[in-house]
């Protein structure tokens, strides 16, 4: 049959006009760019390729998960570890575990096969087969590697020694459990242990009640902390007693009972309580400094800035006393006094005071002193050694007096002074007021810088003239008689110190420039107590002797003639005499610099003064010594 080409062309033209409306479609060729053809717009095929790429890099994106912010990683419910304690970082709502290397590899292979099937469907079967073989090889290799490492670990491991397996769980985990409790619960637990004197039958039920009162979120945090090492040892399974797998079916013990038993077995509760007091006061100081810096509350060297820090520190001290059931009374003062730099001025502050009284009228009064303020704020001093250690020692003594009771006629007072770092100003205000009111104590014992050293150092009234700082008038350095009560207390301390492992160095020229000096200058019996070493006491003596020599040489120079001496306008004889004065002063200054700073001058008011500078166990030796002396002194008949 003959085909008409004309008819075929007409039919094609009609189809073209129906579908395109008779308009020739535009020819969109890729324009050439500087580096070749420009990319084409997104099309169906391009979208499939993009999807395949995302599928293949998806596991990498999931593996590279961002770290949780620091605020989320903290211990839940506000339970914060103390400074120096272990840093427990746990989450209450456990996050999904990170995928293993094997699961990531399998996921990547599967996504690769899927990408091939999407982009090139004809090659899908081959891609699936290749992927299956690869997955099998990966799983087999992972299994063999794990088996080999397990065998190697089993061969290298050795059974634990018998004495290690029999260690008491209290020695392993009691301190860690205590560190996770909030401060008030820590205080309650330590108070219970101290009252029960190591009796677990007495302490465990009461500690259980303390744990039961904790918020649920803190209870869950403690429950997470309890480890298998705290469980009682179970017998090894054998064919006669334990069938295979029976040990795994033993129900877990009540964690709260278990934690109460651990805490009830603490044998150093007083030491932990003292360390807690030091850490809480020090941390409040650092927190106040950070708050002031963030809110721009004055400059670092501004007195108002330091006053803000010490207000927060005073509040922390009040809180430590209140948690033990004591209510400190604030004694505001306004006094005109000379600072330790020799500058007179008007000062206002707040001392803290309380009294513990025995039955009957007062016959003998002992006041325990410690300064509560801190300097060196700009250098990030926490005031732990100077003088949170002294405040904590006063608290420890007060607890003992409360537990055992005071004899008839005895009074024990507590004075936490303010502005000691400015020149014993708080102590000056107290002694001036008590002299006016006629309420001065029979003896004051000032505790300053405890928790370091093996020597007990006493600074009595006979040594106050050695202190030249913060003199309001020169006559204050006049010699004062040592009262019989002060001498008796010092002798009791010297007799008790060796029993508690403290040495008594014989350093007659040593003195303690602290708050007791303000009372001694006014004729009130006072005794300064600190803890140090014999070498440091000798270093102190050399330091202050060199300083006194330098100041005396400086005072001997007639500085009014220095301009004339410098211009060589003096007579030759006067010129030589002035040069000898300057040479003597320079030599004394060089000798003073060569002595170096003793620890008592180097650590306080510096960034080095942190809670790790205070050893609570060592500080308790001084507490034991003061307590033993006070027990005898308070029971002596009144003169």
């Amino acid at each position: 049959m003959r085909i008409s080409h004309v008819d075929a062309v007409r039919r094609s033209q009609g189809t073209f006009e129906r579908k395109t409306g008779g308009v020739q479609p535009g020819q969109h060729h890729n324009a050439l760019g500087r580096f070749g053809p420009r990319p084409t717009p997104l099309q169906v095929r391009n979208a499939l390729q993009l999807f395949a790429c995302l599928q293949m890099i998806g596991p990498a994106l999931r593996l590279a998960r961002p770290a949780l912010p620091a605020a989320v990683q903290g211990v839940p419910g506000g339970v914060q570890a103390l400074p120096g304690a272990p840093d427990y970082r746990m989450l209450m709502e456990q996050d999904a575990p990170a995928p293993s290397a094997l699961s990531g590899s399998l996921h990547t292979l599967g996504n690769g096969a899927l990408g091939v099937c999407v982009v090139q469907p004809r090659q899908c079967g081959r891609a699936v087969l290749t992927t299956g073989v690869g997955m099998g090889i990966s799983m087999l290799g992972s299994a063999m590697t794990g088996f080999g490492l397990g065998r190697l670990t089993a061969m290298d491991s050795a059974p634990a020694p018998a004495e290690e397996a029999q260690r008491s769980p209290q020695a392993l985990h009691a301190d860690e459990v205590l560190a996770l409790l909030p401060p008030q619960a820590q205080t309650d637990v330590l108070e219970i242990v101290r009252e029960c004197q190591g009796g677990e039958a007495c302490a465990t039920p009461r500690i259980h009640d303390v744990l039961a009162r904790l918020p649920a979120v803190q209870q869950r945090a403690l429950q997470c902390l309890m480890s298998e090492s705290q469980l009682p040892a179970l017998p090894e399974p054998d064919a006669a007693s334990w069938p295979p797998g029976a040990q795994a079916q033993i129900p877990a013990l009540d964690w709260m009972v278990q934690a109460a038993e651990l805490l009830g077995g603490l044998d150093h509760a007083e030491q932990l309580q003292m360390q807690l007091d030091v850490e809480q006061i020090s941390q409040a100081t650092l927190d106040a400094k950070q708050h002031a810096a963030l809110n721009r509350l004055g400059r670092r060297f501004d007195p108002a800035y330091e006053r803000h820090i010490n207000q927060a520190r005073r509040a922390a001290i009040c809180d430590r006393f209140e948690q033990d059931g004591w209510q400190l009374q604030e004694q505001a003062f306004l006094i005109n006094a000379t600072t330790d730099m020799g500058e007179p001025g008007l000062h206002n502050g707040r001392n803290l005071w309380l009294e513990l009284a025995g039955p009957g009228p007062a016959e003998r009064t002992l006041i325990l002193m410690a300064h509560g303020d801190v300097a060196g704020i700009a250098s990030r001093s926490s005031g732990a050694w100077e003088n949170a250690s002294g405040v904590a020692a006063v608290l420890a003594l007060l607890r003992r007096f409360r537990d055992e009771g005071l004899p008839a006629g005895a009074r024990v007072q507590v004075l936490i002074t303010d502005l000691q770092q400015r020149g014993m100003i708080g102590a000056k205000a107290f002694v001036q007021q008590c002299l006016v009111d006629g309420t001065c104590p029979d003896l004051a014992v000032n505790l300053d810088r405890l928790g370091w050293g093996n020597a007990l150092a006493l600074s009595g009234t006979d040594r106050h003239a050695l202190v030249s700082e913060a003199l309001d008038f020169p006559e204050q350095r006049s010699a004062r008689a040592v009262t019989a009560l002060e001498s008796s207390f010092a002798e009791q301390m010297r007799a008790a110190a060796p029993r508690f492992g403290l040495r008594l160095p014989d350093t007659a020229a040593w003195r303690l420039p602290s708050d007791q000096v303000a009372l001694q200058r006014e004729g009130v019996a006072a005794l300064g107590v600190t803890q140090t070493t014999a070498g440091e006491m000798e270093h102190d003596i050399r330091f202050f002797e060199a300083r006194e020599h330098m100041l005396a040489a400086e005072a001997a120079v007639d500085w009014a003639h220095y301009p004339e001496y410098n211009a060589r306008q003096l007579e030759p004889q006067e010129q030589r005499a002035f040069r000898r004065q300057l040479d003597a002063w320079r030599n004394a200054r060089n000798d003073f610099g060569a002595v170096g700073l003793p620890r008592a001058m180097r650590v306080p008011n510096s960034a080095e003064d942190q809670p790790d500078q205070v050893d609570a166990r060592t500080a308790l030796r001084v507490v034991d010594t003061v307590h033993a002396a006070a027990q005898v002194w308070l029971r002596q008949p009144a003169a």
Side-chain angles (χ1 to χ4, degrees):
M1 180 179 178
R2 186 179 180 182
I3 300 176
S4 175
H5 296 285
V6 176
D7 294 337
V9 170
R10 288 177 177 175
R11 284 194 298 271
S12 300
Q13 185 178 2
T15 302
F16 171 75
E17 290 180 353
R18 285 197 308 272
K19 292 185 176 181
T20 64
V23 179
Q24 181 73 18
Q27 301 296 319
H28 301 286
H29 300 287
N30 288 345
L32 292 177
R34 183 176 181 181
F35 300 101
R38 294 177 180 173
T40 58
L42 183 64
Q43 298 176 359
V44 175
R45 180 173 298 179
N46 292 343
L48 293 178
Q49 292 174 353
L50 178 61
F51 174 74
C53 293
L54 292 177
Q55 283 292 105
M56 286 185 284
I57 67 175
L61 294 176
R62 280 189 292 273
L63 288 174
R65 299 171 61 185
L68 292 174
V72 180
Q73 293 180 358
V75 180
V79 184
Q80 298 295 335
L82 297 176
D87 185 14
Y88 297 101
R89 294 187 177 274
M90 67 175 95
L91 295 175
M92 295 313 305
E93 302 297 337
Q94 296 294 333
D95 202 354
S100 63
L102 176 60
S103 63
S105 300
L106 298 179
H107 200 169
T108 302
L109 290 173
N111 285 336
L114 177 60
V116 173
C117 291
V118 171
V119 178
Q120 296 181 355
R122 295 181 180 181
Q123 303 295 329
C124 184
R126 184 178 300 176
V128 171
L129 178 61
T130 305
T131 301
V133 174
M135 288 182 175
I137 295 175
S138 298
M139 289 187 290
L140 180 61
S142 178
M144 293 299 294
T145 302
F147 178 77
L149 292 176
R151 295 295 298 172
L152 182 61
T153 305
M155 288 187 294
D156 290 342
S157 61
E163 61 273 13
E164 185 70 19
Q166 296 176 359
R167 287 180 64 187
S168 170
Q170 285 84 351
L172 286 174
H173 296 289
D175 291 353
E176 284 88 345
V177 174
L178 182 68
L180 274 186
L181 298 178
Q184 182 60 57
Q186 289 180 355
T187 302
D188 294 342
V189 168
L190 294 174
E191 185 73 17
I192 291 170
V193 174
R194 191 169 54 82
E195 290 177 357
C196 293
Q197 299 180 352
E200 295 188 17
C202 166
T204 300
R206 298 172 61 185
I207 295 176
H208 187 280
D209 294 339
V210 174
L211 299 179
R213 292 194 298 268
L214 293 176
V217 64
Q218 295 177 347
Q219 291 182 0
R220 290 199 298 271
L222 289 173
Q223 187 175 5
C224 293
L225 177 68
M226 306 304 290
S227 62
E228 293 182 0
S229 60
Q230 296 168 336
L231 294 174
L234 298 175
E236 293 294 332
D238 53 51
S241 60
W242 293 86
Q247 188 177 15
Q249 303 300 323
I250 298 178
L253 299 179
D254 183 2
W255 71 268
M256 197 175 294
V257 174
Q258 188 178 358
E261 291 175 352
L262 286 174
L263 296 172
L266 286 169
D267 57 354
H268 52 293
E270 190 174 25
Q271 173 185 334
L272 292 173
Q273 181 70 74
M274 188 172 187
Q275 189 70 31
L276 177 64
D277 294 335
V278 172
E279 290 172 347
Q280 289 294 308
I281 296 172
S282 303
Q283 190 60 46
T285 304
L286 296 178
D287 291 344
K289 179 183 182 301
Q290 182 179 10
H291 175 267
L294 292 176
N295 293 274
R296 302 181 182 276
L297 300 178
R299 298 182 178 179
R300 294 189 302 170
F301 298 98
D302 188 354
Y305 179 81
E306 186 169 308
R307 185 162 53 249
H308 169 79
I309 306 300
N310 281 309
Q311 286 175 355
R313 184 180 177 90
R314 186 165 58 246
I317 293 174
C318 292
D319 181 67
R320 297 311 301 165
F321 277 83
E322 289 175 2
Q323 290 188 10
D324 267 355
W326 307 101
Q327 187 68 36
L328 288 169
Q329 301 178 17
E330 286 193 352
Q331 295 182 342
F333 61 83
L334 181 66
I335 182 175
N336 192 356
T338 304
T339 67
D340 54 356
M341 301 299 292
E343 300 174 353
L346 195 63
H347 305 274
N348 65 308
R350 294 178 182 274
N351 292 331
L352 303 174
W353 180 90
L354 68 81
E355 182 180 72
L356 181 64
E363 297 179 359
R364 182 164 297 178
T365 302
L366 172 67
I367 187 167
L368 302 173
M369 298 174 58
H371 73 86
D373 62 321
V374 63
I377 301 298
S379 59
R380 194 170 172 76
S381 169
S382 72
W385 191 45
E386 174 148 356
N387 186 36
S389 61
V391 176
V394 170
L395 256 174
L397 288 167
L398 199 60
R399 296 184 188 109
R400 294 188 182 187
F401 290 136
R402 179 182 59 185
D403 293 344
E404 63 194 23
L406 294 178
R411 297 288 187 274
V412 173
Q413 298 175 348
V414 170
L415 178 65
I416 309 298
T417 60
D418 195 8
L419 301 183
Q420 187 271 352
Q421 301 284 2
R422 299 276 188 89
M424 305 173 285
I425 294 176
K428 291 179 180 180
F430 171 79
V431 68
Q432 290 184 14
Q433 188 63 43
C434 79
L435 288 173
V436 172
D437 299 338
T439 57
C440 290
D442 298 301
L443 177 65
V445 176
N446 179 45
L447 302 173
D448 199 351
R449 298 195 298 265
L450 307 181
W452 183 87
N454 60 354
L456 178 69
L458 304 179
S459 182
T461 301
D462 56 333
R463 305 192 183 197
H464 88 90
L466 300 173
V467 182
S468 60
E469 293 88 346
L471 281 171
D472 292 319
F473 45 89
E475 291 76 15
Q476 285 186 328
R477 295 189 71 175
S478 302
R480 301 284 184 179
V482 179
T483 66
L485 291 177
E486 178 185 342
S487 178
S488 172
F489 196 96
E491 289 301 322
Q492 293 295 335
M493 288 196 65
R494 293 189 181 98
R499 301 203 310 264
F500 302 108
L502 292 173
R503 299 177 56 192
L504 291 165
D506 185 13
T507 50
W510 179 88
R511 81 287 185 281
L512 176 65
S514 189
D515 275 337
Q516 83 282 347
V517 175
L519 280 68
Q520 293 166 350
R521 289 172 175 172
E522 300 297 334
V524 178
L527 192 64
V529 179
T530 189
Q531 196 170 7
T532 181
T533 63
E536 279 297 317
M537 295 177 71
E538 294 174 356
H539 193 177
D540 283 346
I541 295 174
R542 295 195 306 271
F543 175 84
F544 285 106
E545 286 180 348
R547 192 184 70 167
E548 291 289 337
H549 180 59
M550 181 190 67
L551 294 176
E554 182 180 1
V557 178
D558 189 0
W559 295 101
H561 292 115
Y562 181 78
E564 299 174 0
Y565 164 80
N566 195 35
R568 299 183 180 275
Q569 296 177 356
L570 296 176
E571 296 294 331
Q573 184 177 359
E574 295 178 352
Q575 191 85 4
R576 289 191 295 270
F578 197 88
R579 175 174 294 180
R580 285 194 297 270
Q581 294 176 358
L582 283 180
D583 291 341
W585 171 69
R586 291 192 181 103
N587 293 334
R589 186 182 61 180
N590 293 335
D591 293 341
F592 175 68
V595 172
L597 290 175
R599 177 185 172 87
M601 302 293 293
R602 185 185 70 253
V603 174
N605 308 331
S606 72
E608 191 176 349
D609 191 359
Q610 302 298 332
D612 59 357
Q613 295 291 324
V614 179
D615 184 354
R617 182 180 59 179
T618 302
L620 280 177
R621 298 177 184 176
V622 177
V623 173
D624 293 335
T625 304
V626 175
H627 179 242
Q631 282 183 313
V632 177
W633 188 86
L634 290 172
R635 286 170 171 78
Q636 289 178 348

